[in-house]
Amino acid sequence: MTSTSYAARRSQLTTYFDRTAVEAWARLTTDAPVSKIRATVRAGRDAMRANLLSWLPEDLTGRRILDAGCGTGALSVEAARRGAEVVAIDVSPTLVGLARERSAELLGGHHIDFRVGDMLDPWLGRFDHVVAMDSLIHYSAGDILRALAELGQRTNGSLIFTVAPRTALLALMHAAGRLFPRGDRAPAIVPITEGGLRRRIGGEAALAGFAVERTQRVNSGFYLSNAVELARKSPPRIAGEGGTVP
């Protein structure tokens, strides 16, 4: 069950990405000219996307992938090109519409199931891998853990996600961001230490079948993000073998 704070923050993100920031994100996720600051963010996001994709099998034929917080769909397209059955979901109808439009020319004979809604919706079904690139960074540590626990119950292989690392540089960037008009500000990023995250994961019973496989930080100017891979240690339980599928 999702928490009240998760639902409230998800609503803020929907408003921000569907109204305030849609033009900026549409431009940022192309090769159109942008400011020097946004160019560092674009480079950082490109590097992070490549890193997360490198943690997935090269051949994804027959694998079901959830792109949780798909934005304009770049990661979904690459996964689909590898043969994956991709479900791409985002809270912003405008960004999902843009993703559908852009992917149409890039997919060839492949297909992506684009949806608008909550990445934690149980009706999305089971997945071999879940990827959440920069979609959990606006949530509290508690809500991140609850989201991972819910997703983990429906994931056969790995949970790959990013968090905002707690550093002096990120704190400085947050302070600079407060100088922008309130209506132009993104919802606050919630920094978390890797040690704190590992302790929370280790103490969460719903994630007992997973272990932190690897981490990787990407630092590119105004883009700073930490990738984490949670890999399942043993196959998930199957109905009739000591219980029901979670």
Side-chain angles (χ1 to χ4, degrees), residues 125-181:
R126 295 195 66 83
F127 295 91
D128 294 291
H129 304 279
V130 171
V131 183
M133 176 176 156
D134 295 347
S135 52
L136 293 174
I137 60 176
H138 301 287
Y139 295 96
S140 69
D143 281 340
I144 290 173
L145 190 69
R146 281 186 285 271
L148 293 174
E150 290 193 34
L151 290 168
Q153 292 179 52
R154 294 179 279 113
T155 302
N156 300 326
S158 63
L159 296 167
I160 299 172
F161 61 98
T162 62
V163 294
R166 184 177 294 168
T167 67
L169 176 60
L170 191 59
L172 180 63
M173 288 191 288
H174 282 180
R178 295 191 186 99
L179 300 176
F180 291 100

Side-chain angles (χ1 to χ4, degrees), residues 59-65 79-86 110-111:
D59 183 1
L60 290 170
T61 303
R63 308 288 183 96
R64 195 162 190 257
I65 306 294
R81 282 172 164 173
R82 294 191 196 177
E85 176 189 341
V86 181
H110 302 290
H111 172 72

Side-chain angles (χ1 to χ4, degrees), residues 13-14 41 57 136 147 188 190 193 208 225:
L13 292 170
T14 301
V41 174
L136 293 174
V190 182
T193 64
S225 192

Side-chain angles (χ1 to χ4, degrees), residues 69-84:
C70 66
T72 55
L75 189 145
S76 293
V77 167
E78 292 304 317
R81 282 172 164 173
R82 294 191 196 177

